[in-house]
Amino acid sequence: MLAAGWAMSVPSLAQVGPSPAEAAGYQGLHAAAQRGDAAQIAVLAAGGANLNARDGNGRTPLHVATFARQRDAIRALAKAGAAMDLLESDRYDAVTIASVAGDEETLRLLLSLGASAKQVTSRYDGTALIAAAHLGHDGVVRQLIAAGAPLDHVNNLHWTAVIESIVLGNGGARHQATLKALVDAGANLQITDRQGNTPLSLARSRGYNEMAKMLEQRGAR
């Protein structure tokens, strides 16, 4: 099992939104996306601006708008034809950015505009669902499941969304709700971590009694 200190450092290694200095230096579509200027996005798009231009970290205007929670800008970019599923340099897409932020409204918008919940993202070869389960964003998890996110994807740490809801959670109400959403959706409860531990054994070893009970009731071993 990975050391607890390392495991809890995973979020800090994750996404990097634009810094204040980067945001202040943006021009064109990136600047319009950052400030949520839908009208300017439409003007620039009509003038032939590259809708999928990249900043120094590979972020497109859509990534920038998602980090900034600028939903009018997201709508304008989608209407103009921006690609919805590109990855930035750290291999995050807009769906995973919104999911990690627990930004349910922006996620709902992205999915309604055709963004995918099924991509493999991040340096961990994970998914938006795994990232949201890790953080106990149960509302996000339910949205992603409804959008067809792969329930049983195994990342390069050899963890599924079910496993991450346990090993990177705190056993509290939100992680319990996350696990319940995954269990109710039919996630595989027998996939083990790299050491051969099942989700049930992981929950028991951490003293997460409610999670263990939930898994036992679903026939997990």
Side-chain angles (χ1 to χ4, degrees):
M1 187 176 299
L2 293 173
W6 186 93
M8 294 310 293
S9 74
V10 170
S12 68
L13 295 174
Q15 300 170 6
V16 180
S19 69
E22 283 181 297
Y26 280 151
Q27 297 180 355
L29 282 171
H30 282 89
Q34 177 70 32
R35 65 177 182 265
D37 191 338
Q40 182 66 7
I41 288 170
V43 169
L44 292 169
N50 180 0
L51 294 167
N52 304 313
R54 305 278 188 164
D55 71 5
N57 201 53
R59 305 182 199 95
T60 66
L62 181 68
H63 295 134
V64 169
T66 302
F67 274 119
R69 304 189 180 207
Q70 295 287 10
R71 288 179 279 275
D72 287 344
I74 291 171
R75 291 186 188 92
L77 288 163
K79 182 177 180 180
M84 301 299 291
D85 294 320
L86 297 179
L87 306 182
E88 40 91 272
S89 295
D90 290 321
R91 297 179 54 206
Y92 289 99
D93 62 343
V95 164
T96 309
I97 291 167
S99 296
V100 167
D103 185 354
E104 295 185 39
E105 188 173 349
T106 298
L107 176 62
R108 188 174 295 109
L109 174 61
L110 288 164
L111 294 173
S112 75
L113 293 170
S116 175
K118 301 178 182 181
Q119 295 204 103
V120 174
T121 66
S122 87
R123 69 193 67 184
Y124 305 107
D125 296 330
T127 62
L129 182 64
I130 290 177
H134 161 181
L135 295 164
H137 293 329
D138 55 299
V140 168
V141 165
R142 287 189 290 272
Q143 279 199 58
L144 294 170
I145 290 170
L151 291 174
D152 300 320
H153 180 85
V154 180
N155 66 16
N156 61 21
L157 301 175
H158 217 272
W159 292 342
T160 62
V162 166
I163 290 174
E164 289 220 4
S165 75
I166 299 166
V167 301
L168 294 180
N170 61 11
R174 293 195 65 181
H175 284 94
Q176 290 173 32
T178 294
L179 179 59
K180 184 178 187 303
L182 293 164
V183 169
D184 288 348
N188 188 328
L189 305 181
Q190 309 307 330
I191 297 174
T192 66
D193 68 10
R194 190 168 279 127
Q195 288 72 39
N197 300 304
T198 65
L200 178 56
S201 67
L202 290 165
R204 286 172 172 166
S205 71
R206 285 161 172 75
Y208 295 165
N209 296 329
E210 292 301 317
M211 288 181 140
K213 185 186 303 182
M214 189 187 311
L215 293 165
E216 289 166 353
Q217 290 172 345
R218 299 305 177 97
R221 298 186 300 276

